[in-house]
Short mmCIF file of all heavy atoms in Angstrom, two decimals:
data_model
loop_
_atom_site.label_atom_id
_atom_site.label_comp_id
_atom_site.label_asym_id
_atom_site.label_seq_id
_atom_site.Cartn_x
_atom_site.Cartn_y
_atom_site.Cartn_z
N TRP J 1 50.78 -108.99 109.20
CA TRP J 1 51.89 -108.04 109.21
C TRP J 1 51.56 -106.84 110.09
O TRP J 1 52.38 -106.38 110.87
CB TRP J 1 52.19 -107.60 107.77
CG TRP J 1 53.32 -106.63 107.68
CD1 TRP J 1 54.65 -106.90 107.72
CD2 TRP J 1 53.20 -105.21 107.53
NE1 TRP J 1 55.37 -105.73 107.61
CE2 TRP J 1 54.49 -104.68 107.50
CE3 TRP J 1 52.10 -104.34 107.43
CZ2 TRP J 1 54.74 -103.32 107.36
CZ3 TRP J 1 52.35 -102.99 107.30
CH2 TRP J 1 53.66 -102.50 107.26
N LEU J 2 50.32 -106.33 109.99
CA LEU J 2 49.92 -105.20 110.83
C LEU J 2 49.95 -105.57 112.31
O LEU J 2 50.38 -104.78 113.16
CB LEU J 2 48.52 -104.71 110.43
CG LEU J 2 48.42 -103.93 109.14
CD1 LEU J 2 46.97 -103.69 108.77
CD2 LEU J 2 49.19 -102.63 109.23
N ALA J 3 49.48 -106.77 112.64
CA ALA J 3 49.52 -107.22 114.03
C ALA J 3 50.95 -107.28 114.53
O ALA J 3 51.26 -106.84 115.65
CB ALA J 3 48.84 -108.58 114.15
N MET J 4 51.84 -107.80 113.71
CA MET J 4 53.25 -107.90 114.09
C MET J 4 53.84 -106.50 114.30
O MET J 4 54.56 -106.26 115.27
CB MET J 4 54.03 -108.63 113.00
CG MET J 4 55.51 -108.76 113.28
SD MET J 4 56.39 -109.66 111.99
CE MET J 4 56.27 -108.52 110.63
N MET J 5 53.51 -105.57 113.42
CA MET J 5 54.03 -104.21 113.54
C MET J 5 53.50 -103.53 114.80
O MET J 5 54.26 -102.85 115.51
CB MET J 5 53.66 -103.38 112.30
CG MET J 5 54.39 -103.81 111.05
SD MET J 5 56.20 -103.70 111.21
CE MET J 5 56.41 -101.95 111.43
N LEU J 6 52.23 -103.71 115.10
CA LEU J 6 51.66 -103.11 116.31
C LEU J 6 52.32 -103.65 117.57
O LEU J 6 52.61 -102.90 118.51
CB LEU J 6 50.15 -103.34 116.36
CG LEU J 6 49.33 -102.50 115.40
CD1 LEU J 6 47.87 -102.95 115.42
CD2 LEU J 6 49.44 -101.02 115.76
N ILE J 7 52.57 -104.94 117.59
CA ILE J 7 53.24 -105.54 118.74
C ILE J 7 54.64 -104.97 118.89
O ILE J 7 55.06 -104.57 119.98
CB ILE J 7 53.29 -107.08 118.62
CG1 ILE J 7 51.89 -107.66 118.77
CG2 ILE J 7 54.22 -107.68 119.67
CD1 ILE J 7 51.80 -109.13 118.40
N ARG J 8 55.39 -104.91 117.79
CA ARG J 8 56.76 -104.39 117.85
C ARG J 8 56.78 -102.92 118.26
O ARG J 8 57.63 -102.50 119.04
CB ARG J 8 57.46 -104.58 116.50
CG ARG J 8 57.75 -106.02 116.15
CD ARG J 8 58.71 -106.69 117.11
NE ARG J 8 60.02 -106.08 116.99
CZ ARG J 8 60.86 -105.91 117.99
NH1 ARG J 8 60.56 -106.33 119.18
NH2 ARG J 8 62.02 -105.34 117.81
N LEU J 9 55.86 -102.12 117.73
CA LEU J 9 55.79 -100.71 118.12
C LEU J 9 55.49 -100.57 119.61
O LEU J 9 56.11 -99.77 120.31
CB LEU J 9 54.73 -99.97 117.29
CG LEU J 9 55.09 -99.70 115.84
CD1 LEU J 9 53.87 -99.18 115.08
CD2 LEU J 9 56.23 -98.69 115.76
N ALA J 10 54.53 -101.36 120.10
CA ALA J 10 54.20 -101.30 121.52
C ALA J 10 55.37 -101.75 122.37
O ALA J 10 55.66 -101.16 123.42
CB ALA J 10 52.96 -102.17 121.80
N GLU J 11 56.07 -102.80 121.94
CA GLU J 11 57.25 -103.26 122.68
C GLU J 11 58.31 -102.18 122.76
O GLU J 11 58.90 -101.94 123.82
CB GLU J 11 57.85 -104.51 122.03
CG GLU J 11 57.03 -105.76 122.22
CD GLU J 11 57.62 -106.95 121.48
OE1 GLU J 11 58.35 -106.78 120.48
OE2 GLU J 11 57.32 -108.08 121.91
N ASN J 12 58.55 -101.50 121.65
CA ASN J 12 59.57 -100.45 121.64
C ASN J 12 59.15 -99.25 122.48
O ASN J 12 59.97 -98.68 123.20
CB ASN J 12 59.86 -100.00 120.20
CG ASN J 12 60.60 -101.07 119.42
OD1 ASN J 12 61.26 -101.93 119.98
ND2 ASN J 12 60.46 -101.01 118.11
N GLU J 13 57.89 -98.85 122.41
CA GLU J 13 57.41 -97.71 123.19
C GLU J 13 57.40 -97.99 124.69
O GLU J 13 57.77 -97.15 125.49
CB GLU J 13 55.99 -97.31 122.75
CG GLU J 13 55.95 -96.60 121.43
CD GLU J 13 56.63 -95.24 121.47
OE1 GLU J 13 56.40 -94.48 122.42
OE2 GLU J 13 57.39 -94.95 120.53
N ALA J 14 56.95 -99.19 125.06
CA ALA J 14 56.80 -99.53 126.48
C ALA J 14 58.07 -100.13 127.07
O ALA J 14 58.15 -100.31 128.29
CB ALA J 14 55.64 -100.50 126.66
N ASP J 15 59.02 -100.48 126.22
CA ASP J 15 60.25 -101.14 126.66
C ASP J 15 59.94 -102.43 127.43
O ASP J 15 60.52 -102.71 128.48
CB ASP J 15 61.10 -100.19 127.50
CG ASP J 15 62.54 -100.68 127.63
OD1 ASP J 15 63.02 -101.37 126.70
OD2 ASP J 15 63.18 -100.40 128.66
N ARG J 16 58.96 -103.16 126.91
CA ARG J 16 58.55 -104.45 127.48
C ARG J 16 58.30 -105.42 126.33
O ARG J 16 58.00 -105.01 125.22
CB ARG J 16 57.25 -104.32 128.28
CG ARG J 16 57.33 -103.38 129.43
CD ARG J 16 56.00 -103.27 130.13
NE ARG J 16 56.04 -102.15 131.06
CZ ARG J 16 55.05 -101.79 131.82
NH1 ARG J 16 53.90 -102.43 131.76
NH2 ARG J 16 55.15 -100.77 132.62
N THR J 17 58.38 -106.70 126.64
CA THR J 17 58.08 -107.70 125.61
C THR J 17 56.56 -107.86 125.49
O THR J 17 55.80 -107.45 126.39
CB THR J 17 58.69 -109.07 125.95
OG1 THR J 17 58.05 -109.59 127.13
CG2 THR J 17 60.19 -108.98 126.16
N GLY J 18 56.15 -108.45 124.40
CA GLY J 18 54.73 -108.72 124.22
C GLY J 18 54.17 -109.60 125.33
O GLY J 18 53.05 -109.41 125.78
N ARG J 19 54.96 -110.55 125.78
CA ARG J 19 54.51 -111.43 126.87
C ARG J 19 54.31 -110.66 128.17
O ARG J 19 53.36 -110.91 128.90
CB ARG J 19 55.52 -112.56 127.07
CG ARG J 19 55.48 -113.58 125.97
CD ARG J 19 56.34 -114.79 126.31
NE ARG J 19 56.51 -115.58 125.12
CZ ARG J 19 57.64 -115.69 124.45
NH1 ARG J 19 58.73 -115.08 124.87
NH2 ARG J 19 57.71 -116.41 123.36
N GLN J 20 55.23 -109.73 128.45
CA GLN J 20 55.09 -108.93 129.67
C GLN J 20 53.84 -108.06 129.60
O GLN J 20 53.10 -107.95 130.59
CB GLN J 20 56.33 -108.05 129.87
CG GLN J 20 57.57 -108.82 130.23
CD GLN J 20 58.83 -107.96 130.15
OE1 GLN J 20 58.90 -107.01 129.38
NE2 GLN J 20 59.82 -108.31 130.96
N MET J 21 53.60 -107.45 128.44
CA MET J 21 52.42 -106.62 128.29
C MET J 21 51.14 -107.45 128.42
O MET J 21 50.18 -107.03 129.06
CB MET J 21 52.45 -105.89 126.95
CG MET J 21 53.49 -104.81 126.89
SD MET J 21 53.43 -103.81 125.39
CE MET J 21 54.08 -104.95 124.18
N ARG J 22 51.16 -108.63 127.83
CA ARG J 22 49.99 -109.50 127.91
C ARG J 22 49.72 -109.91 129.36
O ARG J 22 48.58 -109.88 129.82
CB ARG J 22 50.21 -110.74 127.05
CG ARG J 22 49.01 -111.64 126.99
CD ARG J 22 49.29 -112.82 126.10
NE ARG J 22 48.11 -113.64 125.96
CZ ARG J 22 48.07 -114.81 125.37
NH1 ARG J 22 49.17 -115.28 124.81
NH2 ARG J 22 46.98 -115.50 125.28
N ARG J 23 50.78 -110.23 130.10
CA ARG J 23 50.63 -110.59 131.51
C ARG J 23 50.02 -109.44 132.30
O ARG J 23 49.11 -109.63 133.10
CB ARG J 23 51.99 -110.97 132.09
CG ARG J 23 51.93 -111.42 133.54
CD ARG J 23 53.28 -111.42 134.23
NE ARG J 23 53.79 -110.05 134.24
CZ ARG J 23 55.05 -109.71 133.96
NH1 ARG J 23 55.93 -110.62 133.61
NH2 ARG J 23 55.44 -108.46 134.00
N ASP J 24 50.51 -108.24 132.05
CA ASP J 24 49.98 -107.07 132.75
C ASP J 24 48.53 -106.80 132.38
O ASP J 24 47.70 -106.51 133.25
CB ASP J 24 50.84 -105.83 132.46
CG ASP J 24 52.23 -105.92 133.06
OD1 ASP J 24 52.44 -106.77 133.95
OD2 ASP J 24 53.10 -105.14 132.63
N LEU J 25 48.22 -106.89 131.10
CA LEU J 25 46.86 -106.58 130.65
C LEU J 25 45.84 -107.61 131.10
O LEU J 25 44.65 -107.30 131.19
CB LEU J 25 46.83 -106.43 129.13
CG LEU J 25 47.53 -105.18 128.60
CD1 LEU J 25 47.56 -105.20 127.08
CD2 LEU J 25 46.84 -103.92 129.10
N ARG J 26 46.29 -108.82 131.39
CA ARG J 26 45.35 -109.85 131.90
C ARG J 26 44.77 -109.46 133.25
O ARG J 26 43.75 -109.99 133.66
CB ARG J 26 46.06 -111.20 132.02
CG ARG J 26 46.17 -111.91 130.72
CD ARG J 26 46.69 -113.30 130.95
NE ARG J 26 46.67 -114.02 129.69
CZ ARG J 26 47.25 -115.18 129.51
NH1 ARG J 26 47.90 -115.75 130.50
NH2 ARG J 26 47.19 -115.78 128.35
N GLN J 27 45.42 -108.51 133.92
CA GLN J 27 44.92 -108.06 135.22
C GLN J 27 43.69 -107.18 135.08
O GLN J 27 42.93 -107.01 136.03
CB GLN J 27 46.02 -107.30 135.97
CG GLN J 27 47.24 -108.16 136.25
CD GLN J 27 48.37 -107.34 136.82
OE1 GLN J 27 48.16 -106.41 137.58
NE2 GLN J 27 49.60 -107.69 136.46
N LEU J 28 43.49 -106.60 133.89
CA LEU J 28 42.30 -105.77 133.65
C LEU J 28 41.11 -106.69 133.41
O LEU J 28 41.15 -107.56 132.55
CB LEU J 28 42.50 -104.91 132.41
CG LEU J 28 42.96 -103.49 132.61
CD1 LEU J 28 43.04 -102.77 131.27
CD2 LEU J 28 42.13 -102.72 133.57
N GLU J 29 40.07 -106.48 134.16
CA GLU J 29 38.87 -107.31 134.02
C GLU J 29 37.64 -106.43 134.03
O GLU J 29 37.65 -105.32 134.56
CB GLU J 29 38.79 -108.32 135.16
CG GLU J 29 39.92 -109.32 135.17
CD GLU J 29 39.86 -110.27 136.36
OE1 GLU J 29 39.21 -109.91 137.37
OE2 GLU J 29 40.43 -111.34 136.26
N VAL J 30 36.56 -106.95 133.45
CA VAL J 30 35.28 -106.25 133.46
C VAL J 30 34.25 -107.18 134.08
O VAL J 30 34.14 -108.35 133.71
CB VAL J 30 34.85 -105.87 132.02
CG1 VAL J 30 33.44 -105.29 132.02
CG2 VAL J 30 35.83 -104.88 131.42
N GLY J 31 33.53 -106.65 135.05
CA GLY J 31 32.45 -107.40 135.68
C GLY J 31 31.12 -106.88 135.17
O GLY J 31 30.96 -105.67 134.95
N ILE J 32 30.19 -107.77 134.96
CA ILE J 32 28.85 -107.39 134.51
C ILE J 32 27.89 -107.67 135.66
O ILE J 32 27.78 -108.80 136.13
CB ILE J 32 28.43 -108.16 133.25
CG1 ILE J 32 29.44 -107.91 132.13
CG2 ILE J 32 27.02 -107.76 132.82
CD1 ILE J 32 29.22 -108.76 130.91
N HIS J 33 27.23 -106.62 136.12
CA HIS J 33 26.32 -106.73 137.26
C HIS J 33 24.89 -106.52 136.77
O HIS J 33 24.59 -105.52 136.11
CB HIS J 33 26.66 -105.69 138.32
CG HIS J 33 28.12 -105.66 138.68
ND1 HIS J 33 28.70 -106.61 139.48
CD2 HIS J 33 29.11 -104.81 138.31
CE1 HIS J 33 29.99 -106.34 139.62
NE2 HIS J 33 30.27 -105.26 138.91
N GLU J 34 24.02 -107.45 137.10
CA GLU J 34 22.61 -107.34 136.72
C GLU J 34 21.88 -106.50 137.77
O GLU J 34 22.00 -106.74 138.97
CB GLU J 34 21.97 -108.73 136.67
CG GLU J 34 22.45 -109.60 135.52
CD GLU J 34 21.89 -109.16 134.19
OE1 GLU J 34 20.83 -108.50 134.14
OE2 GLU J 34 22.53 -109.46 133.18
N THR J 35 21.14 -105.50 137.30
CA THR J 35 20.30 -104.69 138.18
C THR J 35 18.89 -104.69 137.60
O THR J 35 18.66 -105.19 136.50
CB THR J 35 20.82 -103.24 138.27
OG1 THR J 35 20.63 -102.61 137.01
CG2 THR J 35 22.28 -103.19 138.68
N ARG J 36 17.97 -104.10 138.34
CA ARG J 36 16.60 -104.03 137.82
C ARG J 36 16.52 -103.16 136.57
O ARG J 36 15.66 -103.35 135.72
CB ARG J 36 15.66 -103.49 138.90
CG ARG J 36 15.33 -104.52 139.95
CD ARG J 36 14.35 -103.93 140.90
NE ARG J 36 15.09 -103.04 141.81
CZ ARG J 36 14.81 -102.85 143.07
NH1 ARG J 36 13.76 -103.44 143.60
NH2 ARG J 36 15.52 -102.07 143.81
N SER J 37 17.42 -102.20 136.47
CA SER J 37 17.40 -101.29 135.31
C SER J 37 18.17 -101.83 134.12
O SER J 37 18.09 -101.28 133.03
CB SER J 37 17.99 -99.95 135.71
OG SER J 37 17.25 -99.38 136.75
N GLY J 38 18.97 -102.86 134.32
CA GLY J 38 19.77 -103.41 133.23
C GLY J 38 21.16 -103.79 133.73
O GLY J 38 21.41 -103.88 134.92
N GLU J 39 22.06 -104.00 132.80
CA GLU J 39 23.42 -104.43 133.14
C GLU J 39 24.34 -103.23 133.38
O GLU J 39 24.29 -102.24 132.64
CB GLU J 39 24.01 -105.26 132.01
CG GLU J 39 23.35 -106.59 131.80
CD GLU J 39 23.96 -107.38 130.66
OE1 GLU J 39 24.68 -106.77 129.82
OE2 GLU J 39 23.74 -108.59 130.60
N VAL J 40 25.19 -103.36 134.39
CA VAL J 40 26.23 -102.38 134.65
C VAL J 40 27.56 -103.07 134.38
O VAL J 40 27.84 -104.12 134.96
CB VAL J 40 26.18 -101.88 136.12
CG1 VAL J 40 27.35 -100.95 136.41
CG2 VAL J 40 24.86 -101.19 136.41
N TRP J 41 28.35 -102.50 133.48
CA TRP J 41 29.66 -103.05 133.16
C TRP J 41 30.70 -102.20 133.87
O TRP J 41 30.79 -100.99 133.64
CB TRP J 41 29.91 -103.01 131.66
CG TRP J 41 29.07 -103.97 130.86
CD1 TRP J 41 27.77 -104.30 131.09
CD2 TRP J 41 29.48 -104.68 129.72
NE1 TRP J 41 27.35 -105.20 130.15
CE2 TRP J 41 28.38 -105.45 129.28
CE3 TRP J 41 30.65 -104.75 129.00
CZ2 TRP J 41 28.42 -106.27 128.18
CZ3 TRP J 41 30.70 -105.57 127.89
CH2 TRP J 41 29.60 -106.33 127.50
N GLN J 42 31.48 -102.85 134.75
CA GLN J 42 32.46 -102.12 135.56
C GLN J 42 33.81 -102.81 135.48
O GLN J 42 33.93 -104.01 135.65
CB GLN J 42 31.97 -102.09 137.01
CG GLN J 42 32.89 -101.38 137.95
CD GLN J 42 32.39 -101.41 139.38
OE1 GLN J 42 31.38 -102.06 139.68
NE2 GLN J 42 33.08 -100.74 140.27
N SER J 43 34.86 -102.01 135.23
CA SER J 43 36.21 -102.58 135.21
C SER J 43 36.81 -102.51 136.61
O SER J 43 36.41 -101.68 137.43
CB SER J 43 37.10 -101.82 134.21
OG SER J 43 37.29 -100.49 134.64
N ASN J 44 37.77 -103.38 136.86
CA ASN J 44 38.45 -103.34 138.15
C ASN J 44 39.45 -102.19 138.15
O ASN J 44 39.75 -101.60 137.11
CB ASN J 44 39.14 -104.68 138.46
CG ASN J 44 40.21 -105.03 137.45
OD1 ASN J 44 40.20 -104.56 136.33
ND2 ASN J 44 41.12 -105.89 137.86
N ARG J 45 39.97 -101.86 139.31
CA ARG J 45 40.97 -100.79 139.39
C ARG J 45 42.28 -101.31 138.80
O ARG J 45 42.73 -102.39 139.14
CB ARG J 45 41.18 -100.39 140.84
CG ARG J 45 40.03 -99.57 141.38
CD ARG J 45 40.37 -98.95 142.73
NE ARG J 45 39.37 -98.00 143.13
CZ ARG J 45 38.17 -98.32 143.60
NH1 ARG J 45 37.82 -99.58 143.73
NH2 ARG J 45 37.32 -97.39 143.96
N PRO J 46 42.89 -100.51 137.93
CA PRO J 46 44.14 -100.96 137.30
C PRO J 46 45.29 -101.00 138.30
O PRO J 46 45.37 -100.18 139.20
CB PRO J 46 44.39 -99.92 136.21
CG PRO J 46 43.62 -98.72 136.62
CD PRO J 46 42.46 -99.21 137.43
N THR J 47 46.16 -101.96 138.12
CA THR J 47 47.35 -102.07 138.95
C THR J 47 48.38 -101.04 138.48
O THR J 47 48.23 -100.43 137.42
CB THR J 47 47.97 -103.47 138.85
OG1 THR J 47 48.36 -103.68 137.48
CG2 THR J 47 46.98 -104.56 139.28
N ALA J 48 49.43 -100.88 139.25
CA ALA J 48 50.49 -99.94 138.88
C ALA J 48 51.13 -100.35 137.55
O ALA J 48 51.50 -99.49 136.74
CB ALA J 48 51.54 -99.88 139.99
#
């Protein structure tokens, strides 16, 4: 029920469907780069 409410609230606030938001959010990615000092976690630049 909480998941359903969060989706509906986000849909109403963003004026987009859950599918549209999911499609947009799939563009966000995180790359993990190994260095001598350890791992660097870097996200890509967000789209408009």
